[in-house]
Amino acid sequence: MKKFQLLSLLTATLILAACSVAPLYEKPQVMMPQQFKEAHGSLKGEQGSQWQTAQPSEVADRGLWWQVFNDATLNDLEEQALLDNQNLQAAIARLAQSRALLKDERSARTPQISAGMSPTLQRVSPDSQRAESGSEQTLWRAQAQIAYEADLFGRVSSLIGAAQADAEQSAALLQSVQLSLQADVAQQYFTIRELDAEQEILRYTVDLRAKMVQLTQYRFDAGDIGELELVRARSELASAESETLAVSRRRAIAEHALAILLGKAPAEFNLAAMPLQRINIQIPAGLPSTLLERRPDIAAAERAMAAANARIGVARAAYFPRLNITSALGYESSDIGHLFEWSSRTFLLGPLIGTMLSLPILDGGKRDAGLARARAVYEEDVALYRQTVLKAFGEVEDNLASLRIIDRQTGVQDNAVIYSERASSLAQSRYREGLVSYIEVIDADRTLLSQRRVTLQLNAERARATVQLIRALGGSWQAPAQPNLAQASR
């Protein structure tokens, strides 16, 4: 009869364990445009109608996107950063922590078994033994204890689901750190190359102004001009030399920042000078917005919603009974020498302390508050997810617009440089012939320097906008070449 009752209890437990009060998780609807605004007419006249909406997918490979720049030095720097950057190592450690927490939650699905051995000195009351006097005795116990929480209303399953989503969110955040690191390395690299190019322009300017000082000194010595023009020439030379030193300072600071991104001390890193050249990368026409599926911040935001939804189930389960099944079996004897004899065996089914089935009746609104908080957290995560998607589309639009306008601006700016070079050449020739004052040369020289710098800035902005577009898309638009870091760490 007892066995039948025990079997009935276990059967009922299994039936109840199949019940879950957690809400069914569904990704919230997000209003997305059918095409990118800036894709229309921005890519060699192609229409943007081929762009499609996307759903998050954090496991998609992002590829070695920096290889589109065809720069061996940049390729090497990116590899170093992936190996030694400390922020990335910290993100990998956080992913390992979240996976360990998931494993910890999953352990609740299996009975917890422990074993121990101990003596107990006990005085038994006369009434309990119906004896004339109490007695003291020492009991030796060697037992195994088993504890298990039956998942009656999905509390354990909801905890595991939340931990699973948290682990997946950590994986997406690792991808986010990795993608940000790769983009930061590329941005810093192109900044240094921009400063190298600016340094080259300034060195040319210094050489040109040094020659003009010599010419002005010659004409001053010959009595053709006054001291004012000589002083102006020397002032312009000193100004150019000062700007050269300022660029050197900025370049040193940028190089130190890049070293830190690579996980190196600044003293251990030196990057040879290499002026930035114009980068011409053609973005494929009709590039689908499904590439946004790989944006790790979107994936992380979506997984945060899933975890919050699962925790609503945990909060709901608090309204229902919890069944904790405990038992112990082993040996018990007053003589250690007879402890492991067959006649000394013993067992206990039921709670050692407390109750097996528990249900809070009056808690002052604690469960209501817990459920309200869980729902509010979910609503917050829904709003953050939608905002993340909007931000992603905005970043893509921004960089598409930047690249489109930079293309047009560069063509106009190239003409400005050509005209400035011609004007500077004419001014110098007329000055040598004594037809104009040195002020004309200074104005033409400054204009040329300014236009060359604007051209350089456009070249740098093109490189940075390309990097930012790739980052906004979540990685390369080319076929992936190797597994991503988060997948490799699993």
Side-chain angles (χ1 to χ4, degrees):
M1 184 66 178
K2 291 183 178 180
K3 290 183 178 180
F4 177 77
Q5 291 175 342
L6 180 59
L7 180 61
S8 299
L9 176 62
L10 293 176
T11 302
T13 299
L14 292 174
I15 294 174
L16 287 173
C19 301
S20 176
V21 295
L24 180 64
Y25 174 67
E26 294 181 359
K27 295 177 185 177
Q29 295 296 321
V30 180
M31 297 300 295
M32 295 185 183
Q34 294 300 315
Q35 65 182 49
F36 284 104
K37 172 184 177 182
E38 295 297 338
H40 179 74
S42 63
L43 302 173
K44 293 187 176 180
E46 293 287 344
Q47 301 297 315
S49 59
Q50 298 181 49
W51 293 70
Q52 303 170 359
T53 57
Q55 295 295 329
S57 177
E58 72 275 15
V59 298
D61 201 333
R62 290 157 181 82
L64 305 178
W65 57 263
W66 55 87
Q67 292 185 353
V68 300
F69 295 103
N70 196 27
D71 189 321
T73 302
L74 177 59
N75 295 345
D76 182 61
L77 294 176
E78 293 287 359
E79 291 177 2
Q80 292 181 45
L82 290 177
L83 290 175
D84 299 325
N85 180 267
Q86 296 306 304
N87 286 333
L88 188 59
Q89 298 303 315
I92 293 173
R94 286 193 294 270
L95 175 58
Q97 293 173 42
S98 65
R99 287 176 175 168
L101 289 174
L102 172 59
K103 186 177 181 180
D104 180 53
E105 293 292 354
R106 282 176 173 170
S107 67
R109 287 193 180 278
T110 58
Q112 308 297 304
I113 302 175
S114 60
M117 177 178 176
S118 66
T120 301
L121 177 62
Q122 180 178 3
R123 179 182 177 85
V124 182
S125 70
D127 288 342
S128 64
Q129 296 294 316
R130 299 185 181 275
E132 294 182 356
S133 61
S135 61
E136 294 182 356
Q137 62 177 348
T138 299
L139 289 178
W140 292 87
R141 290 189 177 91
Q143 293 180 332
Q145 291 86 31
I146 303 174
Y148 176 71
E149 179 182 349
D151 194 13
L152 295 183
F153 297 96
R155 193 187 82 88
V156 175
S157 298
S158 295
L159 285 171
I160 294 174
Q164 175 71 45
D166 285 339
E168 292 168 352
Q169 181 189 20
S170 294
L173 291 175
L174 169 58
Q175 288 286 357
S176 182
V177 172
Q178 177 182 335
L179 183 59
S180 296
L181 171 63
Q182 293 166 347
D184 289 344
V185 169
Q187 297 275 44
Q188 201 66 26
Y189 173 75
F190 288 128
T191 295
I192 294 175
R193 293 306 183 217
E194 178 188 7
L195 293 171
D196 289 339
E198 188 173 3
Q199 191 77 280
E200 186 177 65
I201 293 173
L202 286 172
R203 278 196 294 267
Y204 170 81
T205 302
V206 167
D207 292 342
L208 179 62
R209 290 181 180 176
K211 293 178 181 178
M212 293 304 298
V213 167
Q214 293 177 357
L215 176 60
T216 304
Q217 182 70 51
Y218 175 79
R219 294 188 63 191
F220 173 74
D221 293 341
D224 294 338
I225 59 175
E227 185 180 359
L228 178 60
E229 293 194 12
L230 176 60
V231 172
R232 282 176 175 168
R234 289 175 175 172
S235 174
E236 291 298 316
L237 173 60
S239 176
E241 291 173 341
S242 176
E243 287 190 81
T244 300
L245 293 173
V247 171
S248 297
R249 176 180 58 83
R250 289 161 52 200
R251 205 256 188 205
I253 294 174
E255 187 179 71
H256 298 164
L258 179 57
I260 293 172
L261 288 174
L262 301 180
K264 301 178 182 295
E268 300 174 348
F269 178 73
N270 288 289
L271 187 64
M274 183 183 298
L276 178 66
Q277 303 298 319
R278 182 168 296 177
I279 293 173
N280 292 308
I281 297 177
Q282 297 300 324
I283 301 171
L287 188 67
S289 65
T290 51
L291 290 174
L292 282 174
E293 295 176 0
R294 300 174 304 171
R295 278 205 44 147
D297 54 344
I298 293 178
E302 188 274 331
R303 289 290 85 197
M305 284 192 305
N309 184 80
R311 290 189 174 95
I312 293 177
V314 177
R316 284 181 175 177
Y319 287 91
F320 299 91
R322 290 180 60 179
L323 178 61
N324 291 288
I325 302 172
T326 57
S327 64
L329 65 152
Y331 298 90
E332 181 181 273
S333 174
S334 59
D335 186 350
I336 192 172
H338 300 288
L339 179 60
F340 293 103
E341 293 181 356
W342 183 251
S343 59
S344 299
R345 67 190 185 280
T346 181
F347 76 92
L348 171 68
L349 177 61
L352 302 177
I353 300 176
T355 59
M356 177 180 292
L357 190 65
S358 62
L359 173 65
I361 297 176
L362 183 63
D363 61 3
K366 181 178 180 179
R367 288 171 293 174
D368 292 341
L371 180 57
R373 180 182 180 278
R375 285 173 172 165
V377 170
Y378 175 77
E379 292 300 327
E380 178 188 8
D381 288 335
V382 169
L384 291 175
Y385 167 71
R386 288 172 172 161
Q387 182 63 27
T388 301
V389 173
L390 289 175
K391 179 183 176 183
F393 276 90
E395 289 175 353
V396 173
E397 297 279 16
D398 289 346
N399 289 287
L400 283 172
S402 294
L403 289 172
R404 174 175 59 82
I405 296 172
I406 286 174
D407 281 341
R408 296 175 59 185
Q409 188 178 0
T410 299
V412 176
Q413 184 60 33
D414 287 344
N415 291 332
V417 171
I418 293 173
Y419 298 143
S420 297
E421 289 175 345
R422 179 59 178 164
S424 176
S425 177
L426 290 173
Q428 292 173 27
S429 298
R430 289 166 64 85
Y431 179 72
R432 291 189 183 94
E433 295 171 2
L435 299 177
V436 297
S437 67
Y438 190 64
I439 294 178
E440 298 281 348
V441 177
I442 292 175
D443 288 342
D445 186 29
R446 286 177 176 174
T447 300
L448 175 59
L449 176 60
S450 174
Q451 296 302 327
R452 284 178 171 170
R453 280 182 156 178
V454 170
T455 300
L456 172 59
Q457 290 170 4
L458 288 175
N459 291 340
E461 286 300 321
R462 183 198 301 271
R464 283 190 282 265
T466 303
V467 172
Q468 291 289 29
L469 176 60
I470 294 173
R471 182 178 185 174
L473 291 171
S476 175
W477 51 71
Q478 297 180 340
Q482 67 176 23
N484 61 48
L485 183 58
Q487 289 175 308
S489 63
R490 293 183 180 180

